[in-house]
Amino acid sequence: MASVILFNKPYGVHSQFRKEFATMATLADFFDDKSLRVAGRLDKDSEGLLILTNHGGLNHAITTPPNAKNTNQRSQKHAKTYLVQVENLPTDEQLQLLRQGVLLKDGMTLPAKVEHILEQDLPIKLWERNPPIRQRANIPTAWLKISIMEGRNRQVRRMVATVGLPCLRLIRSQVGDWTLANLAVGESCRFYLSDEQLLALGINPCDDKRHIGQKKSALYQDKTTRQSKAYTNKPSTTLQKRQGSRVIRYKKSNAKM
């Protein structure tokens, strides 16, 4: 059975358990289950739906973004929907640019579903943010509903900024069929998925340990490679010594072991 938690992450909370300083707000302030992993992070300044699970296959399916070549039905089952408050009123041209894909520094984004919606038509009951958004006189704001299948770092913020709509507030409201529903800020709900339910999501129940093992293996290989490069990049000195009538050349490495 896969354990899944839906959490309404507050503004200012980091999507990690480790605290880098005493007053840092993290998931450790809300959960003490060490088997949980975050499936699709939200940055500190974003709010809304955060999924935690103990199942490696489910985590992998949500966090591994597709690209233009491997976009498939399974990835669409885990599409992420965001409610984005932006400065200025969007034009039809700006909305179309977001829909067809935006060129970012790390490449072109995949096509997205984008709607301009009124605040009273938002699919969630909006809560007051602390601190509130910045508001500038004579500059209107608008809400966009954006659904994407990727998961690049701060992708939605960069997309709207690229087309001239700076992001003021970002709330993730849905991942696949899972929504915030009536979860208040800081609240969570837990449920379990059977093997049959995982298969319906396009996930092999046996993928649980495999993906966790692959991640650990990749980390080990990366660490080994970095250590090897650090050693081979150390300067060395060619010395020689006489042994009888022969001169033996050898290298003295300055690397510290």
Side-chain angles (χ1 to χ4, degrees):
M1 298 283 282
S3 175
V4 182
I5 288 180
L6 306 183
F7 174 52
N8 189 347
K9 188 189 85 66
Y11 178 91
V13 175
H14 295 259
S15 297
Q16 63 187 58
F17 285 89
R18 180 174 54 88
K19 287 181 177 286
E20 297 172 8
F21 49 88
T23 58
M24 181 179 182
T26 71
L27 299 176
D29 298 319
F30 300 88
F31 307 100
D32 56 8
D33 185 346
K34 295 184 179 180
S35 71
L36 294 173
R37 297 293 181 271
V38 178
R41 294 175 179 270
L42 283 173
D43 62 63
K44 177 177 69 73
D45 299 332
S46 298
E47 310 159 73
L49 184 60
L50 191 69
I51 296 178
L52 299 96
T53 180
N54 65 351
H55 192 278
L58 177 58
N59 188 307
H60 179 79
I62 294 174
T63 59
T64 303
N67 55 46
K69 293 183 179 180
N70 69 8
T71 302
N72 53 35
Q73 185 177 3
R74 190 183 84 166
S75 65
Q76 295 184 34
K77 290 181 180 179
H78 307 293
K80 304 170 184 69
T81 300
Y82 298 84
L83 305 175
V84 192
Q85 189 175 17
V86 297
E87 279 189 349
N88 304 315
L89 298 178
T91 64
D92 290 340
E93 181 182 3
Q94 288 171 317
L95 295 175
Q96 185 57 32
L97 286 173
L98 291 170
R99 292 185 184 115
Q100 67 188 26
V102 178
L103 182 59
L104 304 177
K105 288 184 178 180
D106 51 357
M108 198 77 175
T109 64
L110 292 176
K113 294 181 180 179
V114 182
E115 299 177 54
H116 176 203
I117 58 177
L118 300 176
E119 183 171 327
Q120 58 264 32
D121 295 329
L122 291 174
I124 62 172
K125 184 178 179 181
L126 201 61
W127 56 85
E128 293 294 327
R129 199 189 79 172
N130 184 23
I133 65 167
R134 71 175 188 273
Q135 290 185 323
R136 296 194 288 178
N138 303 321
I139 298 182
T141 67
W143 282 95
L144 303 179
K145 182 181 178 182
I146 301 179
S147 296
I148 62 173
M149 290 181 291
E150 300 174 276
R152 306 185 198 183
N153 184 42
R154 299 176 73 86
Q155 178 177 336
V156 174
R157 291 179 182 274
R158 292 188 291 146
M159 286 172 62
V160 294
T162 298
V163 301
L165 299 168
C167 179
L168 296 173
R169 188 176 185 184
L170 189 146
I171 302 171
R172 184 158 65 195
S173 62
Q174 185 169 348
V175 176
D177 292 331
W178 298 326
T179 68
L180 277 175
N182 296 318
L183 285 177
V185 179
E187 287 187 350
S188 63
C189 67
R190 188 170 197 154
F191 58 93
Y192 298 88
L193 296 178
S194 65
D195 289 353
E196 291 76 15
Q197 290 172 311
L198 288 171
L199 287 170
L201 292 171
I203 300 167
N204 186 340
C206 298
D207 281 352
D208 185 11
K209 294 182 179 179
R210 188 181 72 181
H211 286 299
I212 293 175
Q214 286 177 344
K215 187 175 293 186
K216 288 183 178 179
S217 176
L219 290 172
Y220 175 77
Q221 291 176 1
D222 179 62
K223 181 179 179 180
T224 303
T225 301
R226 285 187 280 109
Q227 288 177 339
S228 175
K229 287 182 178 180
Y231 180 80
T232 55
N233 289 336
K234 294 290 186 178
S236 61
T237 305
T238 301
L239 304 176
Q240 66 181 31
K241 67 179 180 179
R242 183 173 295 277
Q243 183 175 358
S245 60
R246 293 182 301 166
V247 175
I248 301 175
R249 294 181 179 273
Y250 65 98
K251 287 186 177 181
K252 178 182 179 182
S253 175
N254 294 326
K256 295 181 180 180
M257 299 299 290

